[in-house]
Amino acid sequence: MAPVLVALRGLGLGDLLTAVPALRGLRRAYPGHRIVLATPAPLAELVRTIDAVDDSVDVSGTGPVPVRAPDIAVNLHGSGPQSTAALLATSPGRLLCHAHPDLPQVQGPPWRHDVHEVVRWCALLGWYGLPADPGDLALPPPSRPPMVRPDEADGYAVVHPGAAFPARRWPPDRFAEVAAWLHRAGHRVLITGGDAERDLALRVAALAGIPERRVVAGRTNIGDLAALVASARLVVCGDTGVAHLATAYATPSVVLFGPTPPRLWGPPEGGPHIPLWAGRSGDPHGGTPDPGLLRINVRDVLDAIATLLKGHPW
């Protein structure tokens, strides 16, 4: 039986995708191990498309991690101490993690707040002598077709107005103006979101004059959403997981940043992506739209869309 390596990343969609280069680094470093990712169950379908992972177990947050005595445990979740303690509780043969003052018995590099999330986890492995490439973000196209009508399958734009916290949500009336512009210009617009975001998506559609049938928010699981983004001609969204799907599938995207600068969570340079940021940071977990996010106006977004769509045969 192959030895087990368990990696903890009990977070959301964007968090999973920013850890892909590190997971691939682990796969190359330990080709004979069975790599198990501890991550929320709703992400399992997407996890299966990551060529570095053999299996997953359902973990939300810092644990507990339902794996016993793995050969290696890797903390790709956070700085600790809770996440590191959860992995220590599995009794691993070896633990790879950041150092933390509350766990003086654990060795590792210091946690840094000023590095891109993708680079953070590659650097963690690098400290242990395991190379990982921060640019290794691409995923293979989903095997399932996108859930769109046949007359929409030849090209559509995804507008995703939601985000995990209000601080990262651009106002719905502004998203509606962008969606309406795309609609008037002849682009098919699909409005995406989770179950809790369906009312928001319907509001955006109504303000934009877009038919309700093009609101797919609340009707998609993670596999459906991945297929939609992978086949789209354009994605417009905030600083949320959909932006990282656009990166993974090289789908042109305009991403609106507010409290968190793109140098920490943005798409890689050189791809078909334009991050917009007004130059001020704030609380990404705030209860109202960040003032910096509100400095981004509709014309900024439309100009970025025009730049991206040059040379695209719409």
Side-chain angles (χ1 to χ4, degrees):
M1 182 177 296
V4 171
L5 182 155
V6 61
L8 172 61
R9 188 72 167 160
L11 299 165
L13 172 59
D15 306 279
L16 168 65
L17 295 174
T18 56
V20 166
L23 290 168
R24 286 179 171 150
L26 291 170
R27 173 84 288 163
R28 289 189 294 270
Y30 299 103
H33 281 63
R34 177 170 160 263
I35 294 182
V36 178
L37 183 63
T39 200
L43 299 177
E45 183 175 351
L46 190 61
V47 169
R48 287 193 289 271
T49 72
I50 302 173
D51 49 9
V53 178
D54 298 305
D55 199 1
S56 62
V57 291
D58 182 20
V59 174
S60 294
T62 58
V65 178
V67 176
R68 295 274 70 85
D71 184 50
I72 303 169
V74 185
N75 188 350
L76 299 180
H77 183 93
S79 61
Q82 295 92 341
S83 51
T84 300
L87 288 171
L88 283 171
T90 68
S91 302
R94 186 185 185 198
L95 175 63
L96 311 184
C97 64
H98 288 87
H100 195 282
D102 290 351
L103 298 170
Q105 75 275 29
V106 173
Q107 301 298 308
W111 181 267
R112 292 179 56 188
H113 296 278
D114 60 344
V115 296
H116 193 284
E117 187 71 3
V118 175
V119 174
R120 177 190 314 286
W121 304 112
C122 292
L124 170 66
L125 298 191
W127 193 88
Y128 289 98
L130 310 176
D133 177 8
D136 195 8
L137 291 160
L139 291 182
S143 57
R144 71 170 67 185
M147 51 175 293
V148 295
R149 291 162 50 104
D151 67 332
E152 294 172 335
D154 61 344
Y156 54 87
V158 166
V159 174
H160 188 91
F165 293 92
R168 296 180 234 160
R169 293 178 203 149
W170 205 45
D173 59 314
R174 299 191 197 182
F175 269 114
E177 286 190 62
V178 171
W181 182 89
L182 288 166
H183 184 58
R184 289 193 303 269
H187 307 314
R188 297 179 177 91
V189 178
L190 298 180
I191 303 177
T192 58
D195 293 346
E197 296 168 335
R198 182 161 177 83
D199 287 346
L200 170 62
L202 288 169
R203 181 182 175 193
V204 170
L207 290 171
I210 290 173
E212 184 175 329
R213 65 180 172 81
R214 292 190 177 167
V215 176
V216 297
R219 295 166 44 202
T220 57
N221 60 25
I222 193 65
D224 297 323
L225 183 60
L228 284 171
V229 171
S231 297
R233 296 287 184 88
L234 172 72
V235 170
V236 182
C237 64
D239 175 17
T240 188
V242 168
H244 297 281
L245 279 176
T247 292
Y249 299 124
T251 301
S253 65
V254 177
V255 186
L256 288 70
F257 285 85
T260 302
R263 66 179 177 81
L264 298 181
W265 278 89
E269 295 182 3
H273 315 289
I274 298 180
L276 298 176
W277 184 53
R280 59 178 290 172
S281 300
D283 177 10
H285 306 110
T288 58
D290 182 79
L293 181 62
L294 295 178
R295 287 186 179 183
I296 300 172
N297 60 47
V298 171
R299 175 47 55 190
D300 295 329
V301 177
L302 296 183
D303 287 346
I305 291 172
T307 298
L308 277 180
L309 295 185
K310 285 180 181 176
H312 288 272
W314 282 53

